[in-house]
Amino acid sequence: MNEKMKKIATGILVGVMTVSLAACGSGNSDSKNASATDSGKNGSKVTIELAISKSSQDSPFIAQDLLDEFEQKTNIKVNLQLLPAEQTATVLQTKLAVDETPDIIQYNLASATTDLNLERNFEILDNEPWVGRLLNKDVLSAYGHVYSFHVSQDTGMQGVVYNKDIFKDLGLSIPNNFEEFLAICEKIKVSGITPVFMPFKDMWAANIWPAAAFADYAAKNEPTLFDDINANRKKWSDIPEFATFLQQQYDVYEKGYTNIDILSDSYDMAVGKFLDKEVAMMFMGDWLIENVSEKDPSMHLGLFAIPSSEGASLGASPLGGQLFIPKKAKHIDEAKKFLNFIATKEAAQKIVDTQGYVSNFSDVTTPELLEYKQEIVDQYITPKKTVLTSDAYMIVDRSELYRLLQDQFAGGQDAQGVLKAWDEKFSQLMKDKDVEGF
């Protein structure tokens, strides 16, 4: 692949995520744009279209009081296009192709590069007045440019979710490598608790371990590895360590440290498993901790890095739920005014406070964080021990990879076989996208 295919959001969360951010008084917001108070005042009302999946109706950007205030100040109305959750990508692809383009789209940056042809279809936002106040541009950037908007820099972290009370009762500490992890699993198993819950009926769940492990290896040993893979200079199966990481996850299962029915147990069972203290750990994102805490705030769960190698970094998911402006939008100026309005100190502060976000603006203060999130900041973010997961570097659909990972546990492939089969599928997908080198 050529030079333009750069890593998405490289260097995510490297030391810029500061908790309880003090207002810095950054004065580089362009007042004539940031307030978004003049548009349409003396003319007819303009209506802009914002397309969003029905599954994202809790988005803070479409709260009715926010939309009402924006309309009152600018005479610009925001009309919502609610898209079927299971068909969001397809519907948006069609709208972009036939020029029935919404003025704003809420989507995921990493997915927008694979699903919606980000460079071709969306505005570069580098020169917008709110960009100068960003603490972390990387979470909103691709190909060296800011393409999306969000008030938060909190991406969601991926590792091993664990029950802190079980660890304390058994005298266990966070493992630093795979051997220590297996030793912990053995002690938990002897106590009568299932060490690890694997819900691999949902095949994406099988990718949590390798996505973090692959990225940690590349960051520490071959920083250009994903560029080389995306340019067809290297294959996935060329990296012996990748096979090792896949084998590690399989070993956890083979040694009897998991639920028996891993291919029929699903993610929607996970919260109950933790609430009932049937399991001690799970390879998952910190969103699981939030889901459990909503049911029982007294549960003490934490997150540590996938122990694939000594001192591994914690995996960081690509940030989701950003706003994008299509190049063919009918009301680009008005759409930008909407982003400027949300980015004002007052509006952004309200959203950050309500949602418990980690602010991405220098003059917007991060509220007090939940215990588990504060620990992630202290143990991984501040000491710069995070790495963007390998998902962010793949510009093709990953579902076939997930199926192959699932197939390993069904006995259909060994670790190296998974990688070789993915090489073939990956190559074909890249050819289908006309990527240079394939």
Side-chain angles (χ1 to χ4, degrees):
M1 190 171 61
N2 60 28
E3 189 63 24
K4 75 174 185 177
M5 297 303 273
K6 298 179 180 178
K7 301 188 193 89
I8 298 170
T10 187
I12 190 173
L13 296 174
V14 180
V16 295
M17 189 180 196
T18 306
V19 183
S20 300
L21 298 170
C24 298
S26 174
N28 50 1
S29 177
D30 189 337
S31 60
K32 73 177 184 295
N33 289 320
S35 64
T37 57
D38 299 325
S39 176
K41 275 292 185 181
N42 298 316
S44 59
K45 179 172 292 186
V46 175
T47 297
I48 61 176
E49 301 290 328
L50 194 163
I52 186 170
S53 170
K54 287 183 178 179
S55 65
S56 300
Q57 292 186 66
D58 58 349
S59 168
F61 303 136
I62 62 171
Q64 194 58 53
D65 60 343
L66 183 78
L67 302 183
D68 290 344
E69 183 180 356
F70 175 66
E71 182 177 352
Q72 187 273 325
K73 288 185 174 181
T74 66
N75 207 26
I76 301 171
K77 179 179 176 60
V78 179
N79 184 57
L80 300 181
Q81 296 181 7
L82 298 178
L83 310 180
E86 67 281 2
Q87 298 174 350
T88 299
T90 302
V91 172
L92 289 175
Q93 288 166 356
T94 301
K95 285 180 177 291
L96 291 168
V98 301
D99 295 343
E100 293 182 2
T101 314
D103 299 298
I104 303 174
I105 290 172
Q106 178 167 311
Y107 210 67
N108 176 291
L109 178 60
S111 298
T113 64
T114 60
D115 300 343
L116 305 181
N117 202 327
L118 185 74
E119 281 188 298
R120 184 180 70 190
N121 288 321
F122 294 98
E123 286 282 297
I124 291 174
L125 304 175
D126 292 348
N127 296 322
E128 293 308 297
W130 45 268
V131 172
R133 296 159 52 222
L134 290 174
L135 292 166
N136 187 356
K137 291 182 182 179
D138 289 339
V139 296
L140 303 175
S141 300
Y143 313 118
H145 295 288
V146 175
Y147 275 94
S148 61
F149 173 90
H150 207 297
V151 300
S152 174
Q153 58 173 309
D154 187 6
T155 66
M157 312 303 283
Q158 298 182 20
V160 182
V161 175
Y162 72 106
N163 185 310
K164 294 159 79 173
D165 290 334
I166 291 176
F167 268 53
K168 181 178 179 180
D169 292 344
L170 298 178
L172 306 176
S173 57
I174 293 174
N176 293 309
N177 54 51
F178 187 60
E179 290 70 28
E180 291 182 7
F181 180 73
L182 291 180
I184 284 174
C185 287
E186 181 63 26
K187 290 180 180 180
I188 296 172
K189 181 180 179 181
V190 170
S191 76
I193 298 171
T194 299
V196 179
F197 180 57
M198 289 185 173
F200 291 174
K201 178 180 180 181
D202 295 309
M203 56 188 183
W204 61 268
N207 189 52
I208 298 294
W209 181 288
F214 290 1
D216 180 66
Y217 168 81
K220 293 175 179 175
N221 299 280
E222 297 186 53
T224 64
L225 178 56
F226 294 118
D227 285 339
D228 290 339
I229 289 174
N230 284 336
N232 206 20
R233 292 188 292 266
K234 286 189 176 180
K235 303 289 188 184
W236 296 90
S237 60
D238 289 341
I239 316 301
E241 289 80 5
F242 283 5
T244 297
F245 300 146
L246 295 186
Q247 186 61 43
Q248 286 175 342
Q249 182 170 233
Y250 187 79
D251 285 346
V252 177
Y253 163 70
E254 191 175 41
K255 292 178 181 296
Y257 296 143
T258 73
N259 44 312
I260 297 173
D261 301 321
I262 64 169
L263 295 180
S264 58
D265 289 346
S266 57
Y267 175 81
D268 59 11
M269 302 166 62
V271 171
K273 294 287 185 181
F274 275 93
L275 290 174
D276 294 338
K277 298 181 174 60
E278 295 179 28
V279 300
M281 297 180 288
M282 181 175 168
F283 312 146
M284 192 45 60
D286 61 359
W287 53 84
L288 173 62
I289 301 177
E290 185 173 349
N291 293 158
V292 173
S293 297
E294 287 172 355
K295 297 289 186 181
D296 184 356
S298 70
M299 290 288 292
H300 297 104
L301 303 184
L303 187 76
F304 61 81
I306 297 292
S308 54
S309 61
E310 190 74 29
S313 296
L314 190 67
S317 309
L319 182 67
Q322 298 101 319
L323 298 179
F324 301 81
I325 299 177
K327 290 181 178 179
K328 294 183 179 180
K330 295 179 178 63
H331 303 292
I332 289 180
D333 288 343
E334 288 80 3
K336 288 182 176 181
K337 288 182 186 296
F338 181 63
L339 301 192
N340 293 340
F341 169 72
I342 303 174
T344 59
K345 179 179 177 180
E346 295 73 21
Q349 187 69 67
K350 183 177 180 181
I351 294 173
V352 165
D353 288 344
T354 302
Q355 299 295 321
Y357 284 152
V358 177
S359 170
N360 201 11
F361 287 116
S362 59
D363 54 354
V364 175
T365 304
T366 296
E368 183 178 355
L369 299 176
L370 296 174
E371 179 183 352
Y372 80 86
K373 191 171 289 189
Q374 184 66 59
E375 288 179 350
I376 290 172
V377 171
D378 293 341
Q379 296 169 12
Y380 294 101
I381 304 303
T382 300
K384 302 180 182 180
K385 293 186 61 178
T386 64
V387 61
L388 193 65
T389 61
S390 60
D391 288 346
Y393 303 106
M394 294 192 203
I395 62 171
V396 297
D397 187 284
R398 301 181 297 278
S399 58
E400 184 66 16
L401 171 61
Y402 301 162
R403 189 195 66 76
L404 290 167
L405 294 172
Q406 189 185 56
D407 197 32
Q408 182 184 10
F409 290 87
Q413 299 274 7
D414 62 11
Q416 189 65 13
V418 169
L419 295 171
K420 286 185 175 296
W422 175 234
D423 277 335
E424 294 181 11
K425 185 63 177 178
F426 180 78
S427 179
Q428 185 58 55
L429 290 169
M430 295 292 268
K431 287 178 182 177
D432 293 344
K433 289 180 70 72
D434 295 323
V435 176
E436 185 177 335
F438 290 85

